[in-house]
């Protein structure tokens, strides 16, 4: 007989089993049928989870993809319906005589009711339901931006702003309005919208986003309007940092005009799997390439996983530089992103900042898609070179390139390939599929890619005409700087002073200017900036041949306007923000090879003597007959342009916002006249350090300009430099003039009268015996009448230039100074304080002589 105690024990055991089975069933139903969290403390456990939040999101996204639901139909002209919860949109922007070809804006399946109008066409969308709240048009050709700014300020935080332009929308678009669009709504490209350009944009007030919903095109010289911009797709609200276009933009030609279709890469199987040894990383990097009419996207895989690829509408790959930064120690990707270095200055600055910030041991993997060099700056190329690239400077328009680098290399990477550009103008496919050591080993080769740089020049000359000797001789000789042959000058201020080259409309002239600058011994390419109007393939490719920095400004109607824009740009350059002096080189200038030696002896004068406004490399009277001593310097009351020094303090305090009144003429006609000079003077050489090329054809003041530039000379020896520069400090210079006058030989009045009659003046006429090495000083005292007749007669005698036949320039304190055969001549007027040094027996030259 079973005891009661045993019976109770068996009953308890059975109940425990039944209860356990019941609890398991409850857990199974919750977890796997209802998919509910079983643990009531799951939020606490989630906070303790050490798995990166990014990977958690990715897992959740993968789970969600199995349950994606689409709208029943495509809206706004899109070919595919959007995912439920997203908003279809279609934007068309541009300029045309037939407004019907510019479609109205469409958002969430609803098209705007208003007709397209000149300027900014704007709608506001409710971010909660995607409904259009309001429609407006702001004609920024005829009206200023005040109403537009008020409108933007009045948009509620969170509301969505949708804009397309028609015809012209930039003329009266203020900087303040651009700032609001950029800072409050997230525009990346509003700063690039120029005259009759096209712009389409979706932004959201107070919400940060990456600007995927935006595109701008610029009007080319041959166009009346910029190319039409078309944006189609599905928008996700809010426009968060992670938001990308949910649908690839359709039916648009690739940049450059070739009608190509882009072929997505399939993520599955594109990486391959390398059987790599320990302490190595499997990397597969492949550039884009064109196969017939199909443009293939690039690929970057690390350890068998694709980070740059395209699979239909998914994946990440795009025009420009596609970049992956990988930590080989943790075997994790730090970042993977795309920088549009074809179109965006902002993207170029962003990639520079990224590359400069990566850790020394991180892999940086880069490849190209479509065109990547148009906005590729000097700073970005320098950052890539620091990672071990040898070929970055040899990349040309639409070159294909694949690269793996590492900062700790301190030399050239063995993992770099550049593809040949085919007859169709596209780079061929290049591919690296390797097991990369955790610590790469550099290859022992020359730092400069001489062959690549030379080939870049050859390819340029095959593509473009009009460059004369540049494209006929020495094509294989690379465009590299000349070494400094005087070690004592390495630390001199002149060799670290920025040089700003202002480009005119003629690119062959720009090429000659850059060629002359490159021949200056000791030149630092990093210090040279070429400023050009707008951004064109040819001009960009030309500047890249010289490895100079390049900056763009909006088109100006006059060269004086171009100078205004250049000065403002120069002062805003972040990489020169600590520089206070800038050597400005104007259009159609060829500088002498001793230019920096000249400035090595003169730049410091502006710091030591505040009565010096600038130092110019041009002499107003630098003719072959009246300038002969390269070691000699003058002071003059005239501002002399062409090549001169712009000082930041003077710009900030005196010139900013006054460019119109001071500087609306060519510099050779005189700038900064009147009050802006404030009694300050300009240092100039006796022999100019530049030559000026004249414009071909017919133009305003041609006769006068030709007379001004005829028979000029400049130094040609790279080792020339001025001496006794300290004598140019104001007090010392005045004392020097007194000494020269005391030792001078007055020119006989009869000799001057003969000169006026015959137009010739020689030392033999003055009956002065001398040997070839001696220097003589001659003085001429004249009556300074109100119309300057006497001085103008003397200038005619000595073949000195008289501006517009009325004004004699290049005067200091009433003295005109020049040299003939290294002999110094001083013309002293009766109003000068030095006239009192005239010997009593010396007669005065008068206008009626």
């Amino acid at each position: 007989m079973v005891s009661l105690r045993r019976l109770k024990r068996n009953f308890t055991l059975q109940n425990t089993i039944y209860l356990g089975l019941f609890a398991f069933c409850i857990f199974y139903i919750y977890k796997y049928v209802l998919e509910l969290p079983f643990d009531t403390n799951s939020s606490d456990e989630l906070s303790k989870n050490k798995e990166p939040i990014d990977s958690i999101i990715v897992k959740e996204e993968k789970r969600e993809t199995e349950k994606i639901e689409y709208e029943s139909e495509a809206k706004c002209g899109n070919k595919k319906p959007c995912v439920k919860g997203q908003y279809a949109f279609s934007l068309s922007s541009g300029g045309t005589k037939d407004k019907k070809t510019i479609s109205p804006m469409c958002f969430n399946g609803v098209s705007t009711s208003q007709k397209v109008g000149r300027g900014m066409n704007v709608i506001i969308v409710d971010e909660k339901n995607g409904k259009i709240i309001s429609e407006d048009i702001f004609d920024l050709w005829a009206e200023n931006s005040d109403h537009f700014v008020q409108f933007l300020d009045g948009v509620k935080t969170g509301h969505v702003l949708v804009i397309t332009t028609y015809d012209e929308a930039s003329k009266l678009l203020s900087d303040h309005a651009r700032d609001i669009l950029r800072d409050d709504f997230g525009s990346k490209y509003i700063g690039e919208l120029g005259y009759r350009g096209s712009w389409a944009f979706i932004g959201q007030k107070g919400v940060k986003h990456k600007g995927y919903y935006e595109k701008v095109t610029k009007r080319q010289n041959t166009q009346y309007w910029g190319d039409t911009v078309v944006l189609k797709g599905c928008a996700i609200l809010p426009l968060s940092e992670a938001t990308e276009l949910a649908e690839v933009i359709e039916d648009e030609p690739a940049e450059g005009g070739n009608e190509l279709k882009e072929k997505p890469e399939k993520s599955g199987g594109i990486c391959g799997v390398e059987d790599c040894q320990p302490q190595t990383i499997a990397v597969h990097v492949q550039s884009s390439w064109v196969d017939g009419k199909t443009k293939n996207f690039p690929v970057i895989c690390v350890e068998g996983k694709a980070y740059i690829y395209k699979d239909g509408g998914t994946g990440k790959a795009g025009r420009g530089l596609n970049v992956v930064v990988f930590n080989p120690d943790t075997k994790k990707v730090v970042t993977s992103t795309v920088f549009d270095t074809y179109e965006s200055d902002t993207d170029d600055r962003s990639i520079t900042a990224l590359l400069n910030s990566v850790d020394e041991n991180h892999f940086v993997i880069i490849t190209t898609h479509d065109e990547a060099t148009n906005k590729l700056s000097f700073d970005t190329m320098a950052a890539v070179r620091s990672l071990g690239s040898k070929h970055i400077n040899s990349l040309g328009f639409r070159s294909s390139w694949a690269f793996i680098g590492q900062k700790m290399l301190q030399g050239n990477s063995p993992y770099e390939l550049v593809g040949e550009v085919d007859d169709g103008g596209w780079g061929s496919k290049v591919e690296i599929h390797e097991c990369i050591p955790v610590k790469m080993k550099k290859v022992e080769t020359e730092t400069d890619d001489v062959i690549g740089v030379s080939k870049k020049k050859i390819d340029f000359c095959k593509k473009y005409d009009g460059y004369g000797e540049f494209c006929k001789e020495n094509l294989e000789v690379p465009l590299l700087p000349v070494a400094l042959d005087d070690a004592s000058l390495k630390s001199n201020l002149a060799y670290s002073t920025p040089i700003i080259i202002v480009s005119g409309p003629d690119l062959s002239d720009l090429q000659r200017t850059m060629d002359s600058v490159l021949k200056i011994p000791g030149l630092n390419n990093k210090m040279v900036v070429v400023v050009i109007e707008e951004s064109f393939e040819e001009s960009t490719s030309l500047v890249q041949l010289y490895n100079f920095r390049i900056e763009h400004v909006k088109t100006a109607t006059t060269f004086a306007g171009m100078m205004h824009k250049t000065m403002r740009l120069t002062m805003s350059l972040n990489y020169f923000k600590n520089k206070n002096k800038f050597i400005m080189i104007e259009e159609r200038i060829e500088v002498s090879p001793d230019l920096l030696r000249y400035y090595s002896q003169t730049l410091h004068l502006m710091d030591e003597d505040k009565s010096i406004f600038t130092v110019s490399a041009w002499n107003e009277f630098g003719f072959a007959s009246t300038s002969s001593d390269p070691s000699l310097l003058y002071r003059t009351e005239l501002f002399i342009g062409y090549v001169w020094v712009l000082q930041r303090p003077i710009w900030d305090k005196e010139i900013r916002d006054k460019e119109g009144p001071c500087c609306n003429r060519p510099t050779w006609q005189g700038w900064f006249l009147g009050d802006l000079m404030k009694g300050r003077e300009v240092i100039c050489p006796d022999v100019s350090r530049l030559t000026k090329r004249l414009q071909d054809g017919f133009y305003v003041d041609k006769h006068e300009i030709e007379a001004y530039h005829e028979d000029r000379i400049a130094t040609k020896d790279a080792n020339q430099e001025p001496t006794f520069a300290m004598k140019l400090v104001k007090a010392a210079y005045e004392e020097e003039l007194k000494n020269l006058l005391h030792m001078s030989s007055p020119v006989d009045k009869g000799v001057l009268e003969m000169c006026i009659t015959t137009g010739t003046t020689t030392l033999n006429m003055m009956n002065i015996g001398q040997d070839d090495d001696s220097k003589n000083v001659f003085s001429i005292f004249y009556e300074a009448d109100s119309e300057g007749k006497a001085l103008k007669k003397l200038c005619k005698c000595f073949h000195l230039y008289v501006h517009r036949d009325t004004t004699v320039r290049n005067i200091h304190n009433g003295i005109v100074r020049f040299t003939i055969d290294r002999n110094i001549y001083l013309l002293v007027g009766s109003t000068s304080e030095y006239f009192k040094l005239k010997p009593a027996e010396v007669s005065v030259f008068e206008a009626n002589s």
Side-chain angles (χ1 to χ4, degrees):
M1 215 179 148
V2 179
S3 66
L4 182 60
R5 181 178 297 176
R6 184 176 179 183
L7 184 62
K8 288 181 178 180
R9 186 169 62 246
N10 289 341
F11 180 78
T12 302
L13 180 62
Q14 288 176 353
N15 285 347
T16 301
I17 294 171
Y18 291 147
L19 287 172
L21 290 172
F22 179 77
F24 176 78
C25 291
I26 295 297
F27 170 81
Y28 185 88
I29 291 170
Y30 264 74
K31 186 69 178 177
Y32 296 103
V33 177
L34 299 179
E35 292 188 348
L36 296 174
F38 182 75
D39 191 348
T40 58
N41 296 319
S42 60
S43 60
D44 293 335
E45 287 300 313
L46 182 62
S47 66
K48 298 176 185 178
N49 192 337
K50 296 182 180 179
E51 186 176 3
I53 189 68
D54 288 344
S55 63
I56 295 174
I57 294 173
V58 169
K59 290 180 180 178
E60 291 299 321
E61 287 177 346
K62 287 182 178 179
R63 183 182 299 175
E64 288 298 319
T65 56
E66 299 172 0
K67 298 187 288 184
I68 291 177
E69 296 184 19
Y70 291 88
E71 298 286 352
S72 59
E73 61 180 352
K75 299 177 181 178
C76 292
N78 288 341
K79 292 182 177 180
K80 300 177 183 177
C82 293
V83 174
K84 284 189 176 180
Q86 298 177 4
Y87 301 96
F89 68 88
S90 175
L91 308 178
S92 178
S93 176
T96 173
K97 293 180 180 179
D98 184 5
K99 291 185 181 181
K100 294 179 181 179
T101 62
I102 300 295
S103 304
M105 290 183 281
C106 179
F107 197 92
N108 196 21
V110 178
S111 296
T112 53
S113 58
Q114 63 188 7
K115 295 181 180 179
V116 174
R118 181 175 64 189
M120 297 281 185
N121 294 259
V122 183
I123 61 174
I124 298 297
V125 173
D126 190 327
E127 78 279 12
K128 296 178 182 178
N129 53 29
K131 291 184 178 180
I132 297 175
I133 299 173
S134 65
E135 304 177 18
D136 286 280
I137 299 175
F138 296 90
D139 185 354
L140 299 180
W141 167 268
E143 300 176 359
N144 64 35
S145 295
D146 291 348
H147 292 300
F148 187 45
V149 168
Q150 292 174 7
F151 171 81
L152 295 176
D153 285 338
V155 176
K156 292 182 179 180
T157 300
H159 277 184
V160 178
L161 176 72
V162 185
I163 302 180
T164 63
T165 61
Y166 174 71
D167 196 339
E168 159 52 20
S170 70
K171 179 184 176 183
L172 297 178
L173 181 64
S174 66
D175 290 341
H176 183 40
R178 292 178 191 264
D179 290 343
I180 294 174
L181 290 167
R182 180 177 57 250
D183 299 337
D184 293 359
F185 293 93
S187 171
K188 292 176 65 179
Y189 303 130
I190 184 59
E192 299 180 21
L193 177 62
Y195 180 71
R196 281 185 171 158
S198 301
W199 180 56
F201 171 68
I202 302 177
Q204 190 170 8
K205 191 163 189 177
V207 176
K208 293 182 179 180
H209 56 91
K210 289 189 176 181
Y212 292 106
Y213 302 88
E214 181 176 19
K215 190 171 183 181
V216 65
T217 63
K218 299 179 181 180
R219 183 184 70 89
Q220 308 298 317
N221 284 341
T222 57
Q223 293 179 307
Y224 197 71
W225 287 287
D227 290 338
T228 299
V229 165
V230 177
L231 283 178
K232 292 182 179 181
C234 304
I236 307 170
L237 299 180
L239 303 175
S240 65
E241 286 283 1
T243 301
E244 294 191 39
L245 281 180
E247 180 179 310
V248 177
I249 297 171
E250 303 174 78
D251 303 328
E252 286 196 78
E255 297 294 337
N258 292 325
E259 299 285 345
L260 297 174
K261 295 181 178 179
E262 291 188 319
K263 177 183 177 181
E265 293 285 355
K266 297 295 181 180
S267 59
I270 63 174
C271 294
V273 179
E274 289 284 346
D275 185 14
C276 292
Q277 299 296 317
Q279 295 300 303
T280 63
I281 305 295
V283 177
H284 178 201
V285 52
Q286 169 189 294
S287 72
S288 65
W289 80 99
V290 171
D291 180 14
K293 285 290 184 179
T294 302
K295 188 163 49 174
N296 297 272
F297 280 92
V299 172
I300 297 180
C301 301
V302 186
E303 293 289 87
K305 182 177 179 180
Y307 294 95
I308 295 294
Y309 70 98
K310 276 287 186 179
D311 182 6
T314 68
K316 182 189 298 182
R319 182 178 61 188
L321 296 180
N322 294 253
V323 182
V324 170
V325 179
F326 181 80
N327 186 338
D329 295 335
T330 62
K331 294 191 175 182
K332 292 182 179 179
V333 166
V334 177
T335 186
S336 61
T337 189
V338 180
F339 299 95
D340 187 355
T341 48
Y342 170 80
E343 191 170 50
S344 172
D345 288 309
T346 302
D347 276 18
D348 176 73
R349 289 190 290 269
S350 297
I351 187 175
T352 303
L354 171 65
L355 298 181
N356 287 333
S357 67
V358 297
D359 291 349
E360 285 198 342
N361 66 319
H362 287 177
F363 287 179
V364 178
I365 310 163
I366 312 176
T367 191
T368 54
H369 178 52
D370 198 314
E371 210 306 282
T373 65
N374 187 51
K375 295 287 187 178
L376 195 62
S377 69
F378 186 98
D379 287 341
T380 299
M381 289 190 287
V384 176
R385 284 199 304 272
S386 73
L387 298 167
S389 172
K390 179 184 175 185
H391 301 298
I392 183 64
N393 287 96
S394 65
L395 297 188
F397 187 76
R398 282 182 176 154
S399 289
S400 53
W401 177 59
F403 169 72
I404 307 169
Q406 193 174 34
K407 265 187 184 175
M408 63 171 56
L409 260 178
Q410 296 183 347
N412 292 323
S413 169
Y415 309 105
E416 183 175 22
L417 293 173
V418 179
E420 296 286 336
V421 177
D422 60 26
D423 294 337
W426 298 92
S428 59
K429 175 182 176 182
V430 291
E431 185 174 19
I432 302 171
H433 208 161
E434 297 276 353
C435 296
I436 311 297
V438 170
K439 292 185 178 180
M440 295 185 200
K441 294 182 180 180
K442 64 182 179 181
V443 290
E444 300 297 335
T445 59
E446 293 293 330
T447 301
D448 294 315
D449 182 12
V450 175
I451 296 175
V453 172
S454 300
K455 185 180 182 303
K456 193 173 180 180
K457 178 182 175 183
I458 294 170
D459 291 342
F460 177 88
C461 289
K462 286 181 179 178
K463 191 169 186 178
Y464 302 108
D465 297 324
Y467 291 90
E469 297 302 317
F470 176 72
C471 286
K472 291 179 181 177
E473 297 182 357
N474 302 321
L475 283 178
E476 291 77 17
V477 178
L479 298 172
L480 299 174
V482 179
L484 183 63
D485 56 359
D486 187 344
S488 66
L489 292 172
K490 284 186 177 180
S491 60
N492 188 281
L493 174 65
Y495 293 86
S496 59
T497 297
I499 297 174
I500 313 298
I501 299 175
V502 190
S503 172
D506 192 325
L507 291 182
S508 63
D509 278 327
L510 174 61
Q511 179 273 314
R512 286 193 286 268
T513 298
M514 293 192 295
D515 214 49
S516 68
V517 171
L518 193 70
K519 292 174 182 176
I520 301 173
L523 180 78
N524 181 353
N525 298 64
K526 190 176 181 180
M527 290 293 108
V528 182
V529 180
V530 181
V531 180
I532 59 178
E533 292 182 330
E534 304 302 337
S535 176
F536 300 107
E537 175 192 339
E538 183 176 353
S539 56
T540 300
S541 299
L542 176 61
V543 177
Q544 287 177 347
L545 292 180
Y546 289 88
N547 199 18
F548 294 155
R549 297 178 186 269
I550 186 169
E551 294 286 345
H552 303 92
V553 294
K554 290 182 179 179
T555 301
T557 55
T558 64
F559 187 72
M562 180 69 173
M563 286 296 299
H564 300 172
K565 293 176 182 291
T566 298
M567 288 190 291
R568 284 184 168 271
L569 169 69
T570 298
M571 295 304 163
S572 68
L573 296 175
N574 286 329
Y575 46 81
F576 289 152
K577 62 183 178 182
N578 296 322
K579 298 291 184 180
N580 285 326
K581 296 180 179 65
F582 305 87
I583 299 172
M584 311 296 292
I585 300 178
E586 300 179 20
E587 66 169 341
R588 297 193 178 92
I589 298 296
E590 289 183 40
V591 299
S592 299
D594 63 331
L595 181 71
L596 289 183
R597 284 190 81 105
Y598 169 76
Y599 278 117
S600 73
Q601 303 302 308
T602 56
L603 276 181
H604 64 92
L605 292 172
M606 288 178 283
D607 295 324
E608 294 160 12
D609 184 354
K610 297 306 178 183
S611 71
I612 299 174
F613 186 84
T614 189
V615 177
S616 174
W618 176 255
N619 179 11
E620 181 83 355
F621 293 156
F623 301 95
S625 59
T626 53
S627 65
S628 55
D629 190 348
S631 67
L632 196 59
L633 296 168
Y634 303 153
R635 288 177 70 112
T636 175
E637 298 163 6
L638 172 76
F639 173 79
I640 306 173
Y642 288 164
V643 177
W644 52 285
V645 178
L646 175 64
Q647 298 189 73
R648 187 187 295 275
I650 290 178
W651 162 267
D652 288 339
K653 298 177 183 178
E654 303 177 38
I655 302 176
R656 183 195 299 272
D657 301 323
K658 298 179 183 177
E659 302 101 306
C662 82
C663 331
N664 264 338
R665 298 186 296 183
T667 55
W668 72 273
Q669 291 184 357
W671 267 15
F672 309 111
L673 302 179
D675 294 340
L676 272 176
M677 287 298 288
K678 296 181 178 178
R680 290 168 297 196
E681 294 188 302
V682 176
I683 303 298
C684 69
D686 182 60
V687 180
S688 298
R689 264 57 179 188
L690 64 100
T691 56
K692 168 75 173 179
R693 297 183 304 277
L694 295 184
Q695 182 179 350
D696 294 331
F698 296 97
Y699 45 87
V700 178
D701 297 330
K702 181 176 183 180
H703 175 73
E704 180 187 2
I705 294 171
E706 289 178 345
Y708 179 70
H709 293 92
E710 186 180 6
D711 200 25
R712 293 277 181 169
I713 65 166
T715 55
K716 297 180 181 179
D717 184 354
N719 295 315
Q720 290 282 7
E721 65 180 37
T723 56
F724 306 112
M726 288 310 299
K727 289 186 178 182
L728 274 295
V729 175
K730 188 173 179 60
Y733 190 70
E734 305 301 342
E735 191 64 30
E736 174 71 4
L737 285 178
K738 290 178 184 178
N739 293 335
L740 289 172
L741 283 169
H742 281 303
M743 64 183 292
S744 69
S745 301
V747 178
D748 184 80
K749 184 177 180 180
V751 172
L752 293 174
E753 290 174 346
M754 186 180 299
C755 173
I756 297 296
T757 304
T758 64
T760 58
T761 302
T762 67
L763 295 177
N764 291 333
M765 288 174 58
M766 300 178 190
N767 297 316
I768 298 173
Q770 62 174 22
D771 57 56
D772 292 339
D773 295 328
S774 64
K775 293 184 182 181
N776 295 280
V777 182
F778 300 102
S779 56
I780 300 170
F781 296 87
Y782 67 92
E783 183 66 35
D785 55 285
S786 60
E787 296 181 5
K789 292 181 179 179
L791 180 56
K792 282 187 277 187
K793 280 190 174 184
L794 290 172
C795 288
K796 181 179 180 181
C797 162
F798 290 102
H799 304 290
L800 298 174
Y801 175 76
V802 180
H803 181 56
R804 296 187 186 276
D805 296 326
T806 60
T807 306
V808 179
R809 310 193 299 186
N810 215 19
I811 297 176
H812 165 78
N813 212 350
I815 294 180
V816 175
R817 186 175 178 181
F818 55 93
T819 66
I820 298 176
D821 295 334
R822 289 185 176 251
N823 295 282
I824 297 172
Y825 286 76
L826 301 169
L827 309 184
V828 185
S830 57
T831 56
S832 170
E833 65 178 88
Y834 296 107
F835 193 79
K836 62 186 178 183
L837 299 179
K838 180 186 76 68
E841 69 278 9
V842 173
S843 57
V844 177
F845 181 81
E846 299 176 346
N848 57 5
S849 297

